Amino acid sequence: MSRRRVTLADLAEAAGVSRTTASLVMTGRGRELRISHDVEQRVLRAADELGYRPNAVSVGLRTGTTRTIGFVSDTVATSHLAGDMIKGALEAARERGVMLFIGESEGDPELERGLLHAMQDRQVDGIILAAMFTRTIKVPKDIGPAVLLNALPRPASGLPSIVPDEIEAGRSAARVLLDAGHHDEVYVIGAGPTLQDVPADSVAAVERLIGIRETGLKIAGARVCPDWQPEHGLAATRALLADHRPRALICLNDRVAIGAYQALAEAGLSVPGDVSVVSFDDHPIASWMWPKLTTVALPHYELGRKAVEVLFAQMAGEVEPGQVFRVPMPVRHRESVVARA
Amino acid sequence: MSRRRVTLADLAEAAGVSRTTASLVMTGRGRELRISHDVEQRVLRAADELGYRPNAVSVGLRTGTTRTIGFVSDTVATSHLAGDMIKGALEAARERGVMLFIGESEGDPELERGLLHAMQDRQVDGIILAAMFTRTIKVPKDIGPAVLLNALPRPASGLPSIVPDEIEAGRSAARVLLDAGHHDEVYVIGAGPTLQDVPADSVAAVERLIGIRETGLKIAGARVCPDWQPEHGLAATRALLADHRPRALICLNDRVAIGAYQALAEAGLSVPGDVSVVSFDDHPIASWMWPKLTTVALPHYELGRKAVEVLFAQMAGEVEPGQVFRVPMPVRHRESVVARA
DNA sequence: TCGCATCGCTAATCCGATTTAGCAAAGGGA
DNA sequence: TCCCTTTGCTAAATCGGATTAGCGATGCGA
């Protein structure tokens, strides 16, 4: 039904010129290569009439660049938490006329290799290696131009990294409470009080704690969670409330905060009247909770954008080997923190 | 640093044969074209040693098929709700050795055209046109092999569609209540009682209502919501409770149910003790609510898988023009429904 | 008028594979 | 021994562009 695609040869014939000339005009090198204004117009008009669009596969083969990048993640692509990362990458890519391949390795190195190969075979211009949770990863050999998103290379690899600025986020959370007059009776749920008391492999936990402590906020106590799920937050907060009467809680993420809300309600304590709560991540649920949760947001969208920007900057030679880009985590002020009486 | 890729020419030279022979062996047509076992082994060994992998761009140019498909959505790709759709598509694609381009049109037809062009220019073998919420869409001309995901073509277009089976889901939700002995005093929140009382353009609302009513469940009353957000569910349920004392609620999605929970709590009613609640979507939040919400799940993952399967079936000529595939919506039995005393 | 530069365009090659057509050598029948 | 197949492989064309090298015509200075 639909006619064969219009090729450069068709265009050349329609305009009555050689394929070379047609190509020169279409790639904008007409001026440079002394094609007359008259012929140029003829070609452009024909291109318009025929609806000529160059075959990107052919261009890719000839030039070696496909205006395509690969986005390989452990599972981020489809996660309910971090889809915005893809969105940021997608928009930054579109602005550059670049398409995105996506793939999920599910943490399987064999699968990851396969995906990287499939992408390299398709001549992607670069690759974004993304992780669901901020962590260190081993970088495959011969990966070509690449950046790490939400991840740091385990042995230094020279690849640039883009990560959320968790330490500053920790400071921000603490400052939210300090600014509200909470100088003591502040407890931490999810990790702490020492940097050893954290869920396994959690870069976020460690850095958030560091940031919190740097502000000088006095941490009255803390409860670790083996994992940051609502039920763990619930259990940890219940345990805390058995012996203590907090005036403020720093929950190490929003899911933990859900559990904390629950435990506080059980204990007959109101948020924020009796206890102020501040958290991290800005999971969508944070603005559905009641009262709405004040939280320090993971900037997924910005992380995704930045990854593409850095990838291109790197290909242009504008990035130091191993450079780490920290993306600020903004505070979402909502209803769960109130000034201390 | 990393050596130039190994090409077919390199392989041929290493094996001491012509490029033709090397190609025949590598594409498995050696037998057919009478290449001797000896030579075949020589080529295979060389390929293994050199780590030869065919350049997919070149193959794409020559054969016209790229083992690549495009996934274009209004916004589904990055939505917190439907990332699983991508995941299903991704896995089904991987099983077939196919890569996925993704793109988001954000509902902008101009942007959509651009994305489709970018994909067609890259010679994708087929396209999945996906929608965030089930709805009817206008299908662009000359789209080539394509399927509609979570969408139906506005003027019939011959393209196959994959949609969740919302009518059966409505029946399922009603049956959950009927099975628990709720034959009356059941109210609907979000739409109804008639098929005109629905949010604009909501296929889901209409079909869920149809299914609910088909079971013969007596709907004691209903409240429409302009949009299915928690605050609307809250308002609608408050309004309902002002005049009525329900024993069960069918919320038309989980976000509405959050609001309903809130309103019930305000009114001093417990779930499920006083009021059973059943809902739709199985948003992640449903299993975090307290008590955990019984809900009829949108099978995002299965929808995504099915889209890829149908796309390939269609290219193989195994699909009727305009065929509609309805994917079952399973009930997630949790804690919000209890047998009526 | 001759030689040379410039102008305006095109022929030919290349990218890395697949595929068609065909060639040289060996085998088989008369 | 001659001719015809069959066997086993390869040369060459092709996909759709980008790019290099170069060709004929014109203009200019000497």
Side-chain angles (χ1 to χ4, degrees):
Chain A
M1 188 69 23
S2 65
R3 258 181 351 289
R4 193 177 51 80
R5 266 185 83 102
V6 177
T7 72
L8 186 64
D10 299 331
L11 172 59
E13 187 180 14
V17 299
S18 70
R19 277 155 50 223
T20 306
T21 302
S23 173
L24 290 175
V25 170
M26 297 314 288
T27 51
R29 309 213 312 144
R31 269 294 117 75
E32 179 189 345
L33 268 287
R34 306 184 307 245
I35 301 297
S36 69
H37 183 260
D38 177 43
V39 168
E40 183 176 46
Q41 287 307 311
R42 203 140 39 94
V43 173
L44 290 177
R45 192 154 358 97
D48 190 49
E49 282 166 13
L50 271 55
Y52 171 72
R53 296 201 319 266
N55 179 324
V57 174
S58 174
V59 174
L61 177 59
R62 181 62 234 248
T63 65
T65 135
T66 52
R67 304 214 64 79
T68 293
I69 63 184
F71 190 111
V72 180
S73 57
D74 40 13
T75 179
V76 74
T78 62
S79 131
H80 299 280
L81 288 158
D84 279 342
M85 220 144 90
I86 292 270
K87 183 164 192 129
L90 225 41
E91 291 194 10
R94 175 160 43 74
E95 288 165 13
R96 289 168 173 73
V98 165
M99 296 294 290
L100 221 59
F101 275 127
I102 65 174
E104 287 198 6
S105 68
E106 291 164 22
D108 177 349
E110 208 45 46
L111 232 168
E112 182 182 84
R113 259 173 36 93
L115 283 172
L116 289 176
H117 282 174
M119 290 180 175
Q120 288 164 345
D121 293 350
R122 285 171 176 76
Q123 302 265 73
V124 294
D125 296 334
I127 285 181
I128 296 173
L129 259 182
M132 171 67 205
F133 300 108
T134 308
R135 58 190 180 88
T136 59
I137 60 178
K138 193 150 66 65
V139 177
K141 287 300 119 206
D142 289 329
I143 194 180
V147 302
L148 303 186
L149 177 51
N150 212 5
L152 296 161
R154 185 143 41 201
S157 73
L159 295 186
S161 293
I162 294 91
V163 293
D165 192 346
E166 301 277 11
I167 296 184
E168 180 60 28
R171 294 188 201 109
S172 298
R175 267 190 235 112
V176 165
L177 294 182
L178 289 171
D179 290 353
H182 292 275
H183 296 280
D184 51 15
E185 292 175 284
V186 174
Y187 292 77
V188 174
I189 305 290
T194 81
L195 297 184
Q196 276 67 53
D197 306 316
V198 294
D201 291 329
S202 179
V203 174
V206 174
E207 300 195 336
R208 287 170 186 183
L209 275 178
I210 292 175
I212 291 168
R213 308 205 311 183
E214 274 185 20
T215 58
L217 175 75
K218 203 169 83 198
I219 300 180
R223 287 290 182 284
V224 201
C225 295
D227 192 7
W228 285 350
Q229 297 300 330
E231 56 266 34
H232 302 120
L234 173 60
T237 310
R238 271 183 185 152
L240 178 76
L241 293 177
D243 316 318
H244 305 275
R245 202 78 325 175
R247 296 300 303 269
L249 250 37
I250 299 181
C251 294
L252 278 170
N253 85 357
D254 296 338
R255 295 194 305 274
V256 167
I258 294 172
Y261 266 44
Q262 179 75 28
L264 290 169
E266 287 173 3
L269 296 170
S270 81
V271 178
D274 298 317
V275 181
S276 286
V277 178
V278 61
S279 173
F280 294 88
D281 283 6
D282 194 25
H283 188 284
I285 201 178
S287 53
W288 295 350
M289 291 166 65
W290 191 82
K292 292 178 180 166
L293 185 60
T294 291
T295 186
V296 187
L298 276 176
H300 292 299
Y301 178 87
E302 289 301 334
L303 285 166
R305 282 197 74 85
K306 191 78 180 177
V308 172
E309 287 165 10
V310 171
L311 182 58
F312 279 83
Q314 184 204 22
M315 296 190 288
E318 298 161 1
V319 174
E320 315 265 309
Q323 196 171 344
V324 175
F325 297 82
R326 298 192 184 274
V327 181
M329 294 178 61
V331 177
R332 308 272 188 242
H333 291 279
R334 288 199 268 254
E335 302 163 354
S336 62
V337 174
V338 80
R340 183 153 169 191
Chain B
M1 188 69 22
S2 64
R3 260 178 352 288
R4 191 178 53 80
R5 267 185 82 102
V6 177
T7 70
L8 186 64
D10 299 331
L11 172 60
E13 187 180 12
V17 300
S18 70
R19 276 153 52 220
T20 305
T21 303
S23 173
L24 290 174
V25 171
M26 296 313 290
T27 50
R29 310 213 311 142
R31 268 296 116 77
E32 178 190 345
L33 267 288
R34 306 184 305 246
I35 301 297
S36 69
H37 184 259
D38 177 43
V39 167
E40 182 176 47
Q41 288 306 309
R42 203 140 38 92
V43 173
L44 290 175
R45 192 153 0 95
D48 190 49
E49 282 166 14
L50 269 56
Y52 171 72
R53 295 204 317 268
N55 180 324
V57 174
S58 176
V59 175
L61 177 59
R62 181 61 234 250
T63 66
T65 133
T66 53
R67 304 214 63 80
T68 293
I69 63 184
F71 190 110
V72 180
S73 58
D74 40 13
T75 179
V76 74
T78 63
S79 132
H80 299 280
L81 288 158
D84 279 341
M85 219 143 92
I86 292 271
K87 183 161 193 132
L90 225 41
E91 291 194 11
R94 175 161 43 72
E95 288 165 13
R96 290 167 173 74
V98 165
M99 295 294 291
L100 222 60
F101 274 128
I102 63 173
E104 287 197 6
S105 69
E106 292 164 22
D108 176 349
E110 208 44 48
L111 233 168
E112 182 181 85
R113 260 173 36 94
L115 283 172
L116 290 175
H117 281 173
M119 291 180 174
Q120 289 164 344
D121 293 351
R122 285 171 177 76
Q123 303 265 74
V124 295
D125 296 333
I127 286 180
I128 295 173
L129 260 182
M132 172 67 206
F133 300 108
T134 308
R135 58 190 181 87
T136 59
I137 61 178
K138 193 152 66 66
V139 177
K141 287 299 120 208
D142 287 329
I143 194 178
V147 303
L148 302 186
L149 177 52
N150 212 5
L152 297 160
R154 185 142 40 200
S157 72
L159 295 187
S161 294
I162 294 92
V163 293
D165 192 347
E166 301 278 10
I167 295 183
E168 180 60 29
R171 293 189 200 109
S172 298
R175 268 191 234 112
V176 165
L177 293 182
L178 289 171
D179 291 350
H182 293 276
H183 297 279
D184 52 14
E185 291 174 283
V186 174
Y187 291 78
V188 174
I189 305 289
T194 82
L195 298 183
Q196 275 67 54
D197 306 316
V198 294
D201 291 328
S202 178
V203 173
V206 173
E207 300 196 337
R208 286 169 187 183
L209 275 179
I210 291 175
I212 292 168
R213 307 205 312 184
E214 274 186 19
T215 58
L217 175 76
K218 202 168 83 198
I219 300 180
R223 287 289 183 283
V224 202
C225 295
D227 192 6
W228 285 349
Q229 297 299 329
E231 56 266 35
H232 302 121
L234 173 61
T237 310
R238 272 182 186 153
L240 177 75
L241 293 177
D243 315 318
H244 304 274
R245 200 81 326 174
R247 296 299 302 269
L249 250 38
I250 299 181
C251 295
L252 279 169
N253 85 356
D254 296 339
R255 295 195 304 277
V256 167
I258 294 173
Y261 265 43
Q262 178 74 28
L264 290 169
E266 288 173 3
L269 295 170
S270 81
V271 178
D274 298 318
V275 181
S276 286
V277 177
V278 61
S279 173
F280 295 89
D281 283 7
D282 194 27
H283 188 283
I285 202 178
S287 54
W288 295 351
M289 290 166 66
W290 192 81
K292 292 177 181 168
L293 185 61
T294 291
T295 185
V296 187
L298 277 175
H300 292 300
Y301 178 87
E302 290 301 334
L303 285 166
R305 282 197 74 85
K306 191 77 181 177
V308 172
E309 288 164 11
V310 171
L311 182 58
F312 279 83
Q314 184 205 23
M315 295 191 287
E318 298 161 1
V319 174
E320 315 264 310
Q323 196 171 344
V324 176
F325 297 82
R326 298 192 184 274
V327 182
M329 294 178 61
V331 177
R332 307 274 189 242
H333 291 279
R334 288 199 267 254
E335 303 163 353
S336 62
V337 174
V338 79
R340 182 154 172 190

